[in-house]
Amino acid sequence: MGNEEAVFFSRLLTELTLSFHIIYATIGVGVPLMIMIAQWVGIKKNDEHYILLARRWARGFVITVAVGVVTGTAIGMQLSLLWPNFMELAGQVIALPLFMETFAFFFEAIFLGIYLYTWDRFDNQKKHMLLLVPVAIGASFSAVFITMVNAFMNAPKGFDLVDGNLVNIQPLAAMFNPAMPTKVAHVVVTAYMTAAFVLAAIAAFRLLKGSDHVYHKKALYLTMKLGLIFSIGAAVIGDFSGKYLAEYQPEKLAAAEWHFETEGKAPLMMYGVLDGQEVKYAIKIPYALSILAHSNPTAEVIGLNDFPEDEIPPLYVHYLFDTMVTIGVLMILISGVFWLGRHLGWRFIQSRWFCWLLVAGGPLSIIAIEMGWWYAEVGRQPWILRGIMKVPEAATTSGQVDTMLYLFALLYLVLGVGSVIVLRRMFRRNPVEREIADREQARIEEERVKGGDLS
Amino acid sequence: MDEFLMFYAPFIVLIGAIIIAFIVAPMDGAATRPPKEKKK
């Protein structure tokens, strides 16, 4: 296997691993906050349905964490095995958040274990909910630290490059690089958004399948409301990301928008096809790219023709970017209409077709996450460390990467199918209606025993 | 202005969204409200 093949298979394996991991990682980051909010509502309103929501979500969450641990470990291993030159160089500067991510995970895992095994040990539910605080913080900070590493790849800072060597290394400056705030905030808020819409999709599916229990209605209303809040947050932070890109990675923004000539009053291109440097059949939104880049409709936006040809990202990133934005806007609209419809008593939001739209919102959000990450990674090409190291320079020269690819693909297939089977069985064998009846029975029994003790 | 939007505003929006989520989550009156009757 030549070096070109090794680079190709290394890229393919990394893409496969990240694409698979990001599904579980996103749910793993977002769901703890949803559990915490559900338990908080249950305590505040003294409503058993919300407490049960938290309990059931927590059980499902454990499965996604277990798979996320395996794929996360695979990423750590592949970073060293597939990209040894990158790790040798960048590891000197950015190893700190990589280690901190591990500690954030341990922090989350330890308290998650205590949280799960102490559900009925606390008389005061508030004290039990406090155990979720470190779980949610640990999950979110795992995302914060690992995204700091990715941000560093886009905007490397915190060192001087002298004769190919890194000197004057400042790990904190590397962590708080210019790409960090927009990237970290966008990743975390979209994880919350996706978790909310995935949980909403499950509730909508149960309603579609004939369960009319108020538990599902409360779950749907809560998750759609949270989805609306976090999707608006994602759109606002996405706008800030446009400003960051225009300033620090203008070629990435220009590639996403097929913006070739540097000019003011730049339009935003939605969809379309590219014929040479001519954009056909696109929806052009006048001034919108200038506003996205600089908050000014007449501001100049740097075009792709200002960059060397071999430093321009693949132009198909336009479709990745458009898919992400389209789904994001669609989810704001769907959740906004649902929320308004619930308040104003619109009948159609209870129709089957609208319910199917809510079900589709879960997978669509995950597709948006995938598109966003592919855009983030492909849009950085040809660099692995922008301006310093290109992807082929970083890759291994091993001849066995293709074998690794097949074995890991098999592993992900087993994990993916296995986790779906386990989740389905877990919830099918213990439907909500039965669990509510069991808990009510247990509560009556407990009160009877307490009453007996008193007498 | 762009400096503020790139470095501070993302975290303000993120934390703001979390706080709003906790504030509005318990307001669930509409969750089980029946739809309006059709006008005859």
Side-chain angles (χ1 to χ4, degrees), chain A residues 37 40-41 44-45 50 178 181-182 185 192 214 221-222 225-226 229 237 240 243-244 342-345 347 350, chain B residues 2 5-7 9-11 13-14 17-18 20-22 24-28 30-33 35-38:
Chain A
I37 290 174
W40 149 255
V41 177
K44 202 170 162 57
K45 297 180 74 87
Y50 288 104
T182 47
Y192 296 156
V214 68
Y221 184 71
L222 175 67
K225 194 164 50 179
L226 296 177
I229 293 165
I237 297 169
F240 301 153
K243 273 106 189 122
Y244 156 77
R342 270 270 161 224
H343 279 267
L344 300 176
R347 294 186 74 83
Q350 292 189 18
Chain B
D2 276 359
L5 294 180
M6 277 186 274
F7 296 109
F11 292 116
V13 173
L14 175 64
I18 295 171
I20 291 169
F22 273 95
V24 303
M27 302 171 188
D28 70 345
T32 52
R33 190 178 296 159
K36 276 181 185 168
E37 287 299 317
K38 269 185 183 170

Side-chain angles (χ1 to χ4, degrees), chain A residues 39-351:
Chain A
Q39 195 169 358
W40 149 255
V41 177
I43 293 167
K44 202 170 162 57
K45 297 180 74 87
N46 195 20
D47 188 328
E48 266 296 311
H49 291 144
Y50 288 104
I51 301 286
L52 187 60
L53 263 181
R55 283 183 87 121
R56 289 175 69 89
W57 287 348
R59 276 182 227 145
F61 171 64
V62 175
I63 307 297
T64 61
V65 169
V67 178
V69 170
V70 179
T71 53
T73 308
I75 289 175
M77 199 173 74
Q78 286 173 17
L79 266 176
S80 302
L81 290 176
L82 302 178
W83 311 104
N85 301 333
F86 165 70
M87 287 306 285
E88 192 182 344
L89 186 76
Q92 301 172 57
V93 190
I94 203 67
L96 183 60
L98 274 173
F99 282 115
M100 288 171 81
E101 195 257 347
T102 313
F103 286 114
F105 169 71
F106 285 145
F107 190 57
E108 174 195 355
I110 290 165
F111 282 93
L112 177 64
I114 301 171
Y115 175 78
L116 289 172
Y117 285 99
T118 53
W119 261 108
D120 298 314
R121 305 282 175 92
F122 286 88
D123 285 333
N124 186 344
Q125 275 279 323
K126 282 181 189 165
K127 287 180 184 167
H128 182 243
M129 198 191 82
L130 283 179
L131 289 168
L132 260 181
V133 177
V135 177
I137 289 176
S140 294
F141 271 80
S142 288
V144 168
F145 291 130
I146 209 68
T147 311
M148 279 177 166
V149 179
N150 186 269
F152 174 78
M153 293 163 76
N154 284 275
K157 292 278 181 230
F159 59 88
D160 293 322
L161 192 64
V162 179
D163 300 329
N165 297 313
L166 305 185
V167 294
N168 297 330
I169 290 168
Q170 302 161 53
L172 287 179
M175 285 169 68
F176 292 91
N177 60 74
M180 189 279 282
T182 47
K183 246 183 188 299
V184 163
H186 197 59
V187 163
V188 175
V189 84
T190 50
Y192 296 156
M193 178 199 91
T194 305
F197 286 132
V198 167
L199 295 171
I202 296 168
F205 187 72
R206 294 311 310 160
L207 288 169
L208 263 174
K209 287 289 163 188
S211 175
D212 199 33
H213 202 285
V214 68
Y215 167 93
H216 297 302
K217 291 178 181 171
K218 286 178 180 172
L220 183 61
Y221 184 71
L222 175 67
T223 47
M224 287 305 285
K225 194 164 50 179
L226 296 177
L228 176 62
I229 293 165
F230 291 121
S231 55
I232 292 172
V236 174
I237 297 169
D239 176 72
F240 301 153
S241 300
K243 273 106 189 122
Y244 156 77
L245 286 174
E247 183 81 26
Y248 292 93
Q249 290 182 280
E251 76 284 1
K252 195 171 182 176
L253 182 66
E257 287 305 323
W258 288 345
H259 181 67
F260 291 96
E261 294 298 332
T262 299
E263 59 183 9
K265 301 178 183 175
L268 197 81
M269 301 284 184
M270 294 291 288
Y271 321 114
V273 288
L274 200 57
D275 183 8
Q277 288 201 357
E278 193 188 347
V279 183
K280 290 180 174 172
Y281 317 118
I283 300 168
K284 287 185 189 178
I285 307 171
Y287 308 106
L289 182 57
S290 290
I291 294 171
L292 175 69
H294 300 292
S295 314
N296 177 355
T298 58
E300 195 171 77
V301 181
I302 300 172
L304 285 170
N305 291 342
D306 284 17
F307 296 92
E309 210 165 294
D310 63 344
E311 291 183 11
I312 292 175
L315 295 181
Y316 73 82
V317 294
H318 173 77
Y319 294 115
L320 305 177
F321 183 79
D322 276 5
T323 310
M324 174 188 73
V325 172
T326 304
I327 294 174
V329 172
L330 188 69
M331 293 317 297
I332 292 175
L333 288 175
I334 293 173
S335 52
V337 165
F338 178 84
W339 181 78
L340 265 179
R342 270 270 161 224
H343 279 267
L344 300 176
W346 294 344
R347 294 186 74 83
F348 78 90
I349 61 157
Q350 292 189 18
S351 61

